[in-house]
Amino acid sequence: MSDMVATLWREFAVETEEHFEIIEPLLVASETQAVAPEDISQLFRSFHSVKGLARAMDMRAMETVGHHAENLLGLMRDGVCAFDAAAASLLLEAVDALKALREKAVNERADSDPPAELIARLEQAYAMLSGGGGTKAPASQTHAPKVQVQPQAAPPPRVEAQPPPPAEHAPLGPDPDMLRFYAEMVEQHLPDIARAATSEIDDAGARAAALESLESLEHATSVMGFEGLAAHLADLRRIVENNDAGGKMKAAGILGEIKVEIELLESEIPATITGTGLADRLRLALQSEVTGLIDGMVGVLHRMSDTSGTRVADTDATLAAELAMLARSSCMFFLFLNLHQASRLILMIEDVYGRAAAGELFLHPQILELTHEAVGRLHDVAQNMATKADIDEADVNALLERFRHSLLFGTECVDGADPVSALRRVLANFDISPDLVEILSAENIQDLVAAVHDGHNNLYEILAHFESSEEMTLNFVKWVKAEATAITNRTVFREGKTWFEFLIVSALVPPTVESRIAGIDPSGNSILVRCCKAKAQAGGALATTTPAAVTAVTTAAARAADPKGGAVVSAKATNVLRVRGETVDQLMAQIGEMVTIGNMLHVSASESGVQAALQHLKDYARVQANRPDVMGWVETIEGAVKAFQRSDEQLRSALSRLQDATLELRVVPVETVFNRFPRLVRDLSQALHKQVRLEMEGGEVRIDKAMVESLVDPLMHMVRNAIDHGIEPPEDRQAAGKPAAARLLLRASSRSNRVVIEIIDDGRGLNIERIRTKAVERGLVGAAEAARMGPKEIGRFIFAAGFSTAEQVTETSGRGVGMDVVNTNVLRLGGSVDVETTPGAGSTFTLQLPLSAAIQRVLMVEAGGRMMAIPERFLSEIHQAAAADYRTVKGRAAILLRQSFLPVFRLSELLGFGAGSAGEGSHRSVIVLVNGHQRIGIEVDKLMRRQELFVKEIHPKLASIPGVGGASIAGDGSVVLILDGDDLFRIAERSDVVAATTALPSPSAAVPALPPTIH
Amino acid sequence: MAKRVLVVDDSFMMRTLIKDIVSADSDLEVVGDAENGKIALDKVKELKPDVVLLDIEMPEMDGLEALKRIKLSSQAKVIIISSVAQVGSPQAMEARRLGAFEVIAKPSGAMSLDIGQKKGSEIVKMARKAVGLP
């Protein structure tokens, strides 16, 4: 059996189970409430999936049942018939059948005979509901759910007479959905594309986005058959690819054409699809937008003029940046509106203020004035957008000319050196082609100078034509990433081909680079290399430029040399990883060991002996021998100890984080437990003729996966109990003035590191008096004591061993498993269970569980020379008793604690480890354990510390020792027994031959029963 | 260079199986998978596959809906692998009309349990045909 097949079987088991968990609650819910269409779709999909999964594993019986269920649901999904209770019931039967078949499939990997009777009924239902009246489901004629053996080699059913697939790029016809998607795509991509005409396109990211949008839209447009528009998009794409001077203006022109095309298109797209027309919608949106932007620009200009008396460079830069941004945004809109002259004007404004913001030019008052004028013109255009009137071309030309003139005049006004030209001067030291220098941003230049000025790197210009081979492209990019740094790149057209020109820095010498390139491009025609010799003192030249000046020139850097826009970066892993539970448990166990080792380390780190020894050494060095050299050694050791302790602290916190993170891996939503209940409640209430409305809350609360299985039984039992005993028959409920249908609520919530699950019913509540009587009958409590106890305390007796109040043994609850078993199971999980009841109004059972059953907080103690751990959940308090406090009550040691006698047992004796040295010290440590109403004292030799232990699976030999519940490894590597508090109580009870109440000659009035005491 | 394949199915087991079948052919490379149509659209954009193997019944966005959008936004060939789209079914016809390259049935046990056969399987055959491999 190959791994693959094993994997498939495992996944088959997991996924079919998941689908059943989806299907069942939906079906059960559907019997009492209306089914939403999406639920029917979900049911359909789940049955369909089960069928597909079964088919893949050759489980024909499951496939057949799944198929028929799917057919039936298909009718309901398509509205042929309504979803009713009868159908739900039938489908539930189908689920039961599927579950049974799945069991066999998973366990034996064997197919079964299809349940013929059920299939016949499913077919019948299908025939009836589809209105055909026939006995065979039509869909099964096309499908192959044959009961007989399938010919193994048969190809999947296909009919050869199918029409051939449509030719590539053939128009898909006026499919309204397609048109709608297309309109959506256009809408989605327009903003990216519109940037082609703005200076944003100089940014590599924006360019990549625009190119991608153009490509997608171009493709979609030709798929739709709109060839004219596709051609324009292709033109625009080429312009963006080149991104050369004047490209933006050309792009603006083409965008105008595209706009016209889209308007034309709208006559083809029915208004019902796009709502209002696409172009109209755009225009409507743009009109208010553009007016707002222009108003914003006017506002900024006013603020600039206000500060012009006292010019502050920083304020200017901020305002200029704001203005540039507003201009950039509004430019896009003008282009869409085919207002070309207005966009030319605004592009100029954007350019000027963009540069001003970057500190590249000084905003001369004349420029401000000009801007005022230009914005005024734009404002007029925006106001009169309805007339679609643009500014006169001659006017714009004149304005632009005046701008350029002012700029020339203005730049000369900048005091001192222009940082850009300073950097350009640095570049003059390198033999780089002027075209490349032109596109270098300030950051590029910094990178370049930093890489070259130490003299170890060489600078190369590489011209590459990538269209010939994708593999070569990939190899080249890989090589650059591995052995070089790309400074910049650009696209050039030569001899009708697209080339990429790269400027790269590499430590490799020219012959090596040439041989590497020859390896990537054996033809030698597609990649050309030229080494640029760096002239002397490049670094020195850089020093003449202040860092501030360099950083002042901020241009969005085209850093990466990856022409595909990062396509070689491996895809993000977004899939859910499935790990087997055991794997996580193993990980958990290993982390547990690490925690243990960490604890050992911590013990060493906090070993008080070291400190004492050091102190002795210090005293010796100072007083006894006057040895300064020894003092030095002591200090060295002290330093090392401190460092060790610090590392220990860090390790501990890292470990606890690791532990928490791993704990997260183990948790699953409580839903996985809750989801089993709708079915149970349905079946039970039908069997018992009761009406129950099940509600569930907090299904998202998470619990340890290991706990799920152990939790199901106690919960099931309590739910059974609630329905069987708690909830009255409908007629009784109505007689009591309650609605006929009872409410049963399962509610989960999480409180710090505990999970609380409540089972709340509005039934008759516990019969407190009967429990009281019974408790006395069973000798659990004295009659007088019982009479004093409140309902809450009495209620808890139902958890006592062997306690049952059911008058008759019913099929559901009287299985000999009482609430005491629930209590025991829950305690074993480290949890607790409690009940609250109001006679006539219902009961609430509350389960409290730890987040994880594997990690327990314990108190470490020593007894009889052994280290042992007592889980904190059993601890009530710790008491230091003097020897004089001990009394003998009925032959047992006891101490008086808060006016009650507490029986005290020596732990080593209880466990049969021998008597040990009893009561030597003046004070003895007594741990008070609590179990429900009982308390006992456990005397130990030594209290150690509190800590967390990872509970290991216990060896059977150890498990048989009474009182031992588990084992772990202690800080020093020795085995620590984890004691079971319940067991200790039992041993204590057994060992205590003298029972019942004995009053002591004592000044205190009330001396309760001993032992164990019951409060 | 191997042709890039994207596998789209809501079942992890089906994805595992189909990926295993496809990757047995060295001319085909599974570059990713997706569990519903919505994720598939993102992956198509990100991974630029040559072939998309697409299930029909999926949550979030079903296969036919995804097919329309994939056809518009990419040049990838789309092969529908579904047991709903039995040949001649309305879904199969619709898939064809919307530009699916081929509509084939989900792999059945005969194939998944005999790994040796999968190289010549329908899926591989169709995927090769879609990208023009012999």
Side-chain angles (χ1 to χ4, degrees), chain A residues 299-593:
Chain A
V300 174
L301 276 174
H302 278 304
R303 278 190 280 158
M304 281 183 139
S305 308
D306 290 347
T307 58
S308 60
T310 52
R311 305 203 65 90
V312 183
D314 287 351
T315 321
D316 262 5
T318 316
L319 289 173
E322 200 176 322
L323 194 68
M325 201 194 70
L326 288 166
R328 185 155 50 233
S329 312
S330 53
C331 175
M332 191 173 93
F333 299 126
F334 280 117
L335 282 169
F336 271 122
L337 298 161
N338 283 351
L339 300 168
H340 295 273
Q341 302 309 326
S343 9
R344 284 176 67 204
L345 201 51
I346 208 144
L347 274 174
M348 173 60 98
I349 296 175
E350 189 212 329
D351 183 52
V352 168
Y353 286 85
R355 281 159 65 191
E360 287 178 43
L361 61 79
F362 177 74
L363 287 174
H364 194 265
Q366 203 181 338
I367 296 177
L368 285 180
E369 250 168 62
L370 262 171
T371 317
H372 261 299
E373 195 180 331
V375 172
R377 302 296 296 270
L378 292 169
H379 189 76
D380 292 346
V381 173
Q383 288 294 309
N384 302 311
M385 213 166 258
T387 64
K388 300 184 188 177
D390 204 348
I391 312 172
D392 190 59
E393 185 174 350
D395 283 2
V396 172
N397 286 345
L399 260 171
L400 292 182
E401 194 46 48
R402 283 164 63 200
F403 257 111
R404 285 190 202 103
H405 190 267
S406 298
L407 284 172
L408 273 177
F409 178 62
T411 39
E412 284 164 8
C413 287
V414 177
D415 47 335
D418 167 12
V420 174
S421 44
L423 286 172
R424 296 258 187 266
R425 273 200 303 279
V426 176
L427 285 179
N429 288 304
F430 301 107
D431 179 21
I432 305 173
S433 79
D435 285 351
L436 268 176
V437 171
E438 199 58 40
I439 65 160
L440 286 178
S441 70
E443 278 184 45
N444 292 159
I445 296 168
Q446 275 182 292
D447 288 349
L448 180 60
V449 174
V452 178
H453 88 282
D454 63 2
H456 293 304
N457 284 322
N458 291 301
L459 195 59
Y460 299 92
E461 272 178 32
I462 293 180
L463 200 58
H465 174 61
F466 285 146
E467 276 156 37
S468 48
S469 157
E470 217 175 310
E471 198 176 342
M472 188 188 79
T473 312
L474 214 64
N475 288 338
F476 175 76
V477 173
K478 272 188 200 150
W479 171 72
V480 171
K481 282 203 168 138
E483 298 195 315
T485 310
I487 299 293
T488 189
N489 70 305
R490 63 169 200 146
T491 319
V492 284
F493 270 114
R494 274 189 207 166
E495 294 146 12
K497 287 190 200 161
T498 314
W499 295 76
F500 285 95
E501 195 169 20
F502 293 92
L503 188 62
I504 66 159
V505 173
S506 174
L508 304 178
V509 293
T512 317
V513 170
E514 273 157 25
S515 77
R516 290 279 202 284
I517 294 295
I520 296 166
D521 171 31
S523 72
N525 294 327
S526 297
I527 305 182
L528 311 171
V529 189
R530 189 175 75 89
C531 180
C532 319
K533 293 271 183 286
K535 290 176 191 163
Q537 291 154 347
L542 180 69
T544 62
T545 313
T546 64
V550 174
T551 45
V553 193
T554 51
T555 315
R559 253 173 196 283
D562 182 356
K564 294 259 170 187
V568 285
V569 177
S570 64
K572 289 191 297 273
T574 52
N575 281 334
V576 172
L577 181 68
R578 275 170 195 258
V579 182
R580 291 191 306 153
E582 301 93 86
T583 315
V584 177
D585 286 348
Q586 278 164 16
L587 178 66
M588 213 46 199
Q590 274 156 18
I591 289 171
E593 264 164 48

Side-chain angles (χ1 to χ4, degrees), chain A residues 763-795:
Chain A
R764 57 169 78 95
L766 297 179
N767 189 333
I768 293 297
E769 287 321 309
R770 213 161 69 207
I771 296 169
R772 199 191 302 271
T773 317
K774 203 131 185 183
V776 176
E777 271 172 28
R778 295 275 154 106
L780 294 167
V781 64
E785 182 74 13
R788 274 205 306 275
M789 292 169 90
K792 198 173 158 70
E793 287 163 286
I794 293 290

Side-chain angles (χ1 to χ4, degrees), chain A residues 655-668:
Chain A
L655 269 177
S656 103
R657 285 196 302 272
L658 179 63
Q659 209 170 26
D660 288 349
T662 322
L663 217 55
E664 270 294 299
L665 291 180
R666 289 171 56 105
V667 296
V668 292

